[in-house]
Amino acid sequence: MSATLGALVRDQLVTPVIPAVRRVAEALAATPGAVGILFYGSNLRTGATEGVLDFYVLTAGSPERGIWPTVSYREFDAAGETLRAKIATMRLSTFVKAADAGTLDTTIWTRFVQPCALVWSRDEATTARIAEAIAAAARSAARFAAALGPETGIPRDYWRALFRQTYAAEFRVEKGGREDQIIGFDPDRYDRLLPLAWAADGIAVTAEGAALRPALPPARRAAVLRAWRLRRRAGKPINIARLMRAAFTFDGAARYGAWKIERHTGIAVPLSPWAERHPILAAPGVLWRVWRARQTA
């Protein structure tokens, strides 16, 4: 890990978080095999507890076989306030490989080139390994940005090109322009990050005023574009498979769905024990009750 890129990653990982997030992380640290907990998403940027807090719980062990991560939803009481958390759990060894673009999946290096905070770690060796994985995510993203972006441009031109391509490759529901929102939260960070990540990945850069020109040799550019085409073709099938798996394994799915419905419609959805255990089978009845309630209102 380049010292300069490493310093930026380390500074990012110790970003202060609000006490409520710390309390949730302490509870999640009891997850069997947990070695590290990352906090990310819009709540990291705003410092608010509204909505759902997003965590990755990294665990010990050899890489998973099949689809990952495992996703769950939990609610926590914090001094009378209900904190809602969506938790993705996966092996640290898988996370390291995926961040380094060692799999066809794009979600890890795309997500973790964005800001995140390491809110709990088992020990310093684990902290160092997670920091290296986050740096690898930055190198992976920057490498694809160099091939997918313009020949010359300011850093934000490359990030926009990258995020547009990755969102198009994945099965996502975000509206167009999401890439500008991501960059707009901290544009200076992305301006600093790109040349550092290029340098760490061995990509020479020349400056032309405010614009940058990454020097990818033709053979390497062709190899990166071939790697991208593989990931673009695999992106939607991987994401659809992940959604199908989550439909049957998402722990807390019924409570998460009920909260989302009430948040967006104002209609409270009571959950029976049967609906909690069988959210997919219960969904048509829930949607019917919501429709009737809206018609009555």
Side-chain angles (χ1 to χ4, degrees), residues 233-259:
R233 288 195 293 269
K236 284 186 174 62
I238 288 174
N239 278 264
I240 290 170
R242 186 169 286 142
L243 287 170
M244 292 177 65
R245 179 180 185 269
F248 293 96
T249 62
F250 192 143
D251 184 24
R255 281 176 286 121
Y256 179 67
W259 172 79

Side-chain angles (χ1 to χ4, degrees), residues 37-77:
I37 299 173
L38 289 163
F39 177 59
Y40 68 100
S42 60
N43 292 82
L44 173 64
R45 296 186 287 264
T46 64
T49 56
E50 183 183 14
V52 175
L53 307 174
D54 291 300
F55 293 90
Y56 257 72
V57 176
L58 304 176
T59 61
S62 56
E64 290 98 333
R65 295 181 179 180
I67 302 296
W68 43 262
T70 299
V71 182
S72 61
Y73 168 80
R74 291 176 61 184
E75 294 180 353
F76 302 85
D77 180 71

Side-chain angles (χ1 to χ4, degrees), residues 188-224:
D188 290 341
R189 172 189 176 273
Y190 289 97
D191 289 348
R192 297 194 312 272
L193 179 61
L194 187 63
L196 295 179
W198 276 341
D201 204 53
I203 299 174
V205 183
T206 56
E208 301 175 359
L212 302 176
R213 180 188 291 270
L216 266 182
R220 190 176 186 196
R221 177 180 293 275
V224 173

Side-chain angles (χ1 to χ4, degrees), residues 276-287:
E276 286 247 29
R277 293 194 304 271
H278 307 285
I280 296 175
L281 295 176
V286 169
L287 295 175

